[in-house]
């Protein structure tokens, strides 16, 4: 397995992981109607934009065949609402069949290395409260920063929470 910085040519592979992960991770959390309408094409366009941004850092995990099986991205926390957290992990997704193998930890470490090189030493990540994958952040030492914020996704009103690391240096 290889962890590396994403290139524009990775947008389609990232989009496939993104859509597939939403459909498995958020099944029974977000409506099937919303999940079924997700589009690889639309997500590919989104990832071309995300990879092209100078203030966003994207890393991918490839399996032995060179297929993208996971990704993470993030950058500087821009809202200013959370003093003490200067980095923002925007997303991290691993295909279901590759979860539990340490890939998420390796992706996050790579993103955090980039953050540290930019003098960003803390980070926050938002996650749906009903998403059991959120415990991954707790295992990596993150603490709950916000416990109950509402977000609307499609027609669903869902609970969102934020985890934070006051220091990412040892994650």
């Amino acid at each position: 397995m290889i962890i590396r910085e994403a290139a524009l040519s990775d947008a389609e592979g990232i989009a496939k992981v993104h859509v597939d992960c939403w459909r498995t991770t958020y099944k029974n959390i977000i409506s099937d109607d919303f999940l079924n309408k997700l589009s690889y094409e639309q997500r590919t366009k989104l990832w071309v934009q995300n990879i092209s941004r100078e203030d966003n850092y994207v890393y991918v995990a490839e399996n032995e065949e060179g297929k993208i099986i996971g990704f993470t991205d993030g950058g500087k926390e821009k809202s200013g609402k959370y003093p003490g957290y200067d980095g923002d992990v925007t997303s991290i997704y691993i295909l279901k069949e590759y979860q539990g193998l340490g890939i998420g930890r390796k992706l996050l470490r790579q993103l955090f290395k980039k953050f540290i090189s930019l003098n960003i030493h803390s980070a926050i990540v938002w996650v749906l409260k009903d998403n059991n994958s959120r415990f991954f952040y707790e295992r990596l030492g993150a603490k709950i920063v916000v416990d109950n914020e509402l977000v609307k996704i499609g027609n669903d009103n869902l609970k969102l929470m934020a985890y934070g690391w006051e220091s990412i240096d040892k994650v």
Side-chain angles (χ1 to χ4, degrees), residues 60-73:
V60 296
E62 287 183 335
N63 66 11
E64 297 74 28
E65 292 84 43
K67 178 185 169 195
I68 294 173
I69 56 168
F71 69 91
T72 189
D73 78 313

Side-chain angles (χ1 to χ4, degrees), residues 96-154:
K96 189 172 186 168
E97 59 269 29
Y98 290 94
Q99 292 177 8
L101 303 175
I103 298 166
R105 179 183 301 261
K106 289 176 182 173
L107 280 166
L108 210 53
R109 280 187 183 149
Q110 192 65 42
L111 181 62
F112 285 175
K113 281 182 189 176
K114 181 64 175 181
F115 281 4
I116 291 166
S117 77
L118 298 168
N119 202 30
I120 296 171
H121 294 278
S122 61
I124 196 167
V125 61
W126 289 90
V127 61
L128 290 175
K129 196 166 189 169
D130 290 337
N131 177 359
N132 287 330
S133 297
R134 69 185 173 89
F135 298 111
F136 163 76
Y137 304 116
E138 291 181 15
R139 287 192 296 278
L140 292 180
K143 305 291 184 218
I144 296 171
V145 177
V146 177
D147 189 28
N148 199 16
E149 190 162 308
L150 291 177
V151 64
K152 187 171 181 101
I153 299 177

Side-chain angles (χ1 to χ4, degrees), residues 14-26:
I14 294 170
K16 182 159 180 20
V17 170
H18 200 177
V19 169
D20 292 350
C21 285
W22 268 60
R23 289 180 177 157
T24 57
T25 303
Y26 301 130

Side-chain angles (χ1 to χ4, degrees), residues 2-7 9-10 58-62 66 68 107 110:
I2 296 171
I3 306 289
R4 62 171 177 77
E5 191 170 356
S9 59
D10 295 320
V58 185
Y59 294 90
V60 296
E62 287 183 335
I68 294 173
L107 280 166
Q110 192 65 42

